[in-house]
Amino acid sequence: MRTFAATLALAAAATSVLAAPAPDTAALHRRAAGKLPFFFPESVYEAVPPSGKASFGKVSEDKAVQIATDFLVAKLGITAADFKVYSSFTDASGTTHVYGAQQANGLRIANHQAAAHVQNGEVVSFSSSFGTSQQPTKPKVPAASGKLTVADAIAKAAKDTGIPHHKDFAAVSEYVNTGSGIVFAHKLQLRDDAKAQWVQVWVDANTGAIVHSADFVKKASYKVVALPKMKPTQGFTTVANPENAAASPNGWADSTGTTKGNNVDVAKRTASEVAQTYGKSTNGVFDSAWNSAAAPSTAANIQASAVNLFYIGNVVHDISYQYGFTEKAGNFQKDNLGKGGKANDAVVISVQDSNGTDNADFSTPADGQAPLMRMFRFTSTTPNRDGGLENVIPIHEYTHGISNRLTGGSATGQCLETIEAGGMGEGWSDFVGLVLTAKSTDTRTTKIVVGDYVVNSSAGIRSAPYTTDLTVNSLKYSSLKTRNEVHDIGEVWVEMLWEVYWNLVDKKGFSTDLYNAKSTAGNVVALQLVIGGMMNQPCNPTIIQARDAILKADQTFYGGKFKCDIWKGFAKRGAGFSATTTKTDKTDLPSGC
Ligand SMILES: *[C@@H]1O[C@H](CO)[C@@H](O)[C@H](O)[C@H]1NC(C)=O
Ligand SMILES: *[C@@H]1O[C@H](CO)[C@@H](O)[C@H](O)[C@H]1NC(C)=O
Ligand SMILES: [Zn+2]
């Protein structure tokens, strides 16, 4: 288990969409987010009381489909030719679910849907979006022809939306109820490469207008301490759709719409870590109303913490993914989506864990076993403070998982066990926390303090602020002659990495987009070098070996372009060219630098 705090109580060390949108009007018109036209007639849903007759017993699925179809045709007052079943299945309870749509001239009316559910040979409930008071059963239907070809419709829709045509989906002719009548349309899909936008549209085959649409990208928002902010006193803001499509193609939250998903599972838990309370959302909105004057344990504050931890855990998952912490590299996911590595190891996060105080920790078993992140309350203030709201803390904890899985391969979980390697583990964790909270206005001499919110002290919990200014933070390689606690060692390692980081940022600039790992901005290069170094270094590396692994990452990723920037950073803090494991400061550089 790797922890956050050193100067405080020391924890033990070991290795360790969502529901359908609520109908608010008779017909659902697309909320503004979608921008494209959307019309869906109001649905009716009715339960059918059991007949009370002797049980019919189980019937075959085919038979159930026939029963459902006969029922719907009779109920809606249409002919069998007006209705077509599109899918059906039988669940574990033996109930067969049958879904279809009205059709005309042999074509589906896209938004005239109906379903019936059959148990023991009887329909137990049904629904429809036509045959209602607003939507007549027998609408006026135009001819199945239009002035525009499919190619015309595709060209116009792509131009109007700015989203390229998705060729994998062949266009289909359908009718659409626009709310003011039925039109004949071409159904097609538009999608961009990053899958940031993926919509299905129905284009009126006569006018070329998009008359209806379905957005396949789930929308979600989170009210959190948005990065690069560090702490809740800087304010909560709502972040919309932060999910990265490459790293989290199915979004962050699973179908429960809670702080539970493929990457992290965040809840207030019992002492034995059984989930009790998840953060919640309504229609994809993870709202929160943090109250700094109330105890962390109020329902509102637990929600705020759970949502923030869900956000941070997912962001670190998605960003680290870009730099190579993928399924094959042993990352943390419940489902690896067929991309390799071992699954079933989403990070279990314990909100305000009851088993400790004034700290946080992270246990990393080998790939395929879920890690546990425990976030404790900090007790030096009244009310207590919640570590889950000071972003550097959960980033620090999650990064323990990254460094543990990447060093020596993901199958071991035992490669950062020596004091020196464990110390670097603490250092990488703080370093990634600094990179993810860095601001474009920061400079190499900005004093970065961590943990100041949770302990309510401007000094925070490290011995000095992080900066490249030697007069503010004088730590050097030789400091390790007297520092032998992992967090104390980590501070020295961070200073070395921070020098390298600033050499790169001063030379190559700063990007606010950490998701583009291909960027040549200095902060992006620094993060790639550090994560790349983890992949190269031996099990239980020394500082010299970890430095050399970073230099190797510079060769493999950038052809050795940043070699001297790296050497200069390490040399300034005493780990120069002729430094050895004796930890005597050496500030020399190799020839050519
Ligand atoms: C957690 O709390 C339980 C019950 O209070 C205790 O028995 C257990 O040792 C604690 N676990 C840790 C890791 O501190
Ligand atoms: C935090 O520290 C400041 C300055 O020492 C003090 O005035 C304030 O009351 C403290 N806040 C809490 C919640 O303890
Ligand atoms: Zn730690």
Side-chain angles (χ1 to χ4, degrees):
M1 186 179 322
R2 294 301 178 195
T3 61
F4 177 68
T7 52
L8 298 154
L10 287 171
T15 296
S16 354
V17 106
L18 312 177
D24 48 4
T25 55
L28 299 172
H29 292 271
R30 166 73 38 103
R31 42 281 173 205
K35 297 204 181 76
L36 296 172
F38 171 83
F39 175 80
F40 208 91
E42 184 188 21
S43 297
V44 292
Y45 176 71
E46 278 179 32
V48 181
S51 66
K53 292 184 194 133
S55 166
F56 293 86
K58 283 202 175 13
V59 298
S60 70
E61 185 163 316
D62 284 352
K63 177 78 179 147
V65 169
Q66 193 57 55
I67 291 167
T69 309
D70 292 347
F71 175 92
L72 289 170
V73 165
K75 188 82 193 173
L76 296 166
I78 55 178
T79 67
D82 293 337
F83 187 74
K84 180 156 186 206
V85 171
Y86 283 98
S87 68
S88 64
F89 71 95
T90 302
D91 70 20
S93 75
T95 303
T96 301
H97 306 275
V98 182
Y99 306 89
Q102 188 175 20
Q103 58 178 9
N105 300 325
L107 301 180
R108 183 193 322 214
I109 304 180
N111 43 5
H112 277 197
Q113 308 217 2
H117 311 273
V118 178
Q119 192 179 33
N120 293 333
E122 287 190 296
V123 171
V124 292
S125 65
F126 80 98
S127 60
S128 74
S129 64
F130 67 105
T132 64
S133 54
Q134 291 92 17
Q135 302 303 328
T137 311
K138 294 189 174 118
K140 207 163 155 274
V141 175
S145 63
K147 297 187 194 105
L148 273 68
T149 63
V150 170
D152 294 339
I154 288 171
K156 181 145 191 336
K159 182 162 176 285
D160 289 354
T161 59
I163 312 172
H165 176 226
H166 182 47
K167 297 186 179 64
D168 292 359
F169 180 83
V172 178
S173 296
E174 288 187 352
Y175 287 109
V176 178
N177 181 345
T178 66
S180 49
I182 306 280
V183 303
F184 174 66
H186 299 301
K187 176 170 86 175
L188 50 102
Q189 290 184 4
L190 305 168
R191 183 183 141 170
D192 56 13
D193 283 343
K195 220 176 111 178
Q197 301 182 88
W198 187 5
V199 290
Q200 180 160 283
V201 295
W202 284 259
V203 179
D204 186 320
N206 284 294
T207 67
I210 292 173
V211 288
H212 184 49
S213 65
D215 192 343
F216 293 159
V217 180
K218 276 187 204 157
K219 305 286 182 205
S221 69
Y222 307 85
K223 191 163 180 190
V224 294
V225 182
L227 291 168
K229 280 184 190 158
M230 296 179 109
K231 45 203 171 187
T233 45
Q234 294 170 319
F236 282 65
T237 49
T238 299
V239 180
N241 308 317
E243 301 88 350
N244 178 272
S248 299
N250 298 329
W252 287 353
D254 67 14
S255 58
T256 61
T258 65
T259 50
K260 182 165 171 286
N262 201 40
N263 308 325
V264 291
D265 186 313
V266 184
K268 178 85 184 88
R269 295 166 192 277
T270 65
S272 52
E273 306 300 354
V274 176
Q276 277 179 315
T277 311
Y278 281 98
K280 296 172 186 60
S281 68
T282 305
N283 294 336
V285 177
F286 286 84
D287 203 1
S288 65
W290 180 63
N291 179 355
S292 64
S297 57
T298 62
N301 283 350
I302 288 175
Q303 165 80 4
S305 185
V307 173
N308 198 61
L309 286 165
F310 188 69
Y311 161 75
I312 291 290
N314 277 297
V315 165
V316 180
H317 169 275
D318 286 5
I319 289 180
S320 60
Y321 195 96
Q322 318 302 319
Y323 296 80
F325 189 47
T326 58
E327 293 88 353
K328 274 191 177 164
N331 77 351
F332 305 113
Q333 289 179 202
K334 187 169 163 212
D335 182 349
N336 280 1
L337 307 165
K339 297 178 189 170
K342 294 202 172 140
N344 289 315
D345 60 357
V347 178
V348 175
I349 301 182
S350 178
V351 178
Q352 297 169 21
D353 191 283
S354 59
N355 230 331
T357 60
D358 303 292
N359 215 328
D361 64 26
F362 195 99
S363 305
T364 320
D367 196 15
Q369 237 189 313
L372 174 64
M373 183 197 292
R374 301 191 301 175
M375 305 301 301
F376 304 129
R377 280 175 301 115
F378 284 74
T379 57
S380 56
T381 58
T382 305
N384 290 172
R385 290 188 168 175
D386 185 337
L389 298 175
E390 182 157 8
N391 287 338
V392 167
I393 302 180
I395 298 171
H396 173 110
E397 297 310 328
Y398 195 111
T399 304
H400 276 305
I402 301 174
S403 58
N404 269 291
R405 284 278 171 93
L406 288 179
T407 304
S410 61
T412 75
Q414 52 173 13
C415 287
L416 296 177
E417 293 303 306
T418 58
I419 294 291
E420 189 162 324
M424 284 190 284
E426 298 304 331
W428 283 304
S429 283
D430 274 9
F431 175 77
V432 173
L434 301 188
V435 173
L436 268 57
T437 55
K439 289 151 197 74
S440 56
T441 49
D442 290 344
T443 70
R444 60 163 58 241
T445 55
T446 303
K447 295 175 193 163
I448 313 284
V449 174
V450 301
D452 52 332
Y453 166 71
V454 286
V455 298
N456 192 36
S457 145
S458 57
I461 61 158
R462 302 296 182 230
S463 62
Y466 291 124
T467 166
T468 66
D469 183 347
L470 283 163
T471 65
V472 175
N473 188 320
S474 60
L475 290 171
K476 285 196 168 177
Y477 192 33
S478 58
S479 309
L480 297 181
K481 287 180 172 172
T482 52
R483 290 189 156 225
N484 44 34
E485 190 277 335
V486 284
H487 300 86
D488 294 343
I489 295 169
E491 291 183 29
V492 176
W493 181 236
V494 175
E495 279 302 312
M496 293 176 178
L497 300 179
W498 206 227
E499 295 288 353
V500 172
Y501 174 96
W502 276 105
N503 289 349
L504 293 165
V505 172
D506 284 348
K507 185 174 192 170
K508 304 291 292 181
F510 177 87
S511 170
T512 54
D513 179 12
L514 289 174
Y515 292 87
N516 178 11
K518 301 247 179 321
S519 160
T520 55
N523 55 330
V524 169
V525 170
L527 188 55
Q528 184 65 79
L529 291 174
V530 165
I531 291 179
M534 292 176 192
M535 300 171 187
N536 295 333
Q537 67 201 3
C539 224
N540 295 304
T542 62
I543 281 183
I544 299 292
Q545 290 169 332
R547 177 202 65 194
D548 291 349
I550 288 173
L551 287 157
K552 177 55 70 181
D554 175 48
Q555 264 172 21
T556 59
F557 282 94
Y558 305 108
K561 214 192 293 182
F562 303 110
K563 180 178 132 190
C564 295
D565 306 295
I566 298 167
W567 273 115
K568 283 174 191 157
F570 279 102
K572 180 173 162 190
R573 295 283 166 171
F577 185 62
S578 58
T580 68
T581 52
T582 58
K583 303 181 172 49
T584 300
D585 288 331
K586 298 287 180 184
T587 57
D588 57 329
L589 300 170
S591 62
C593 285

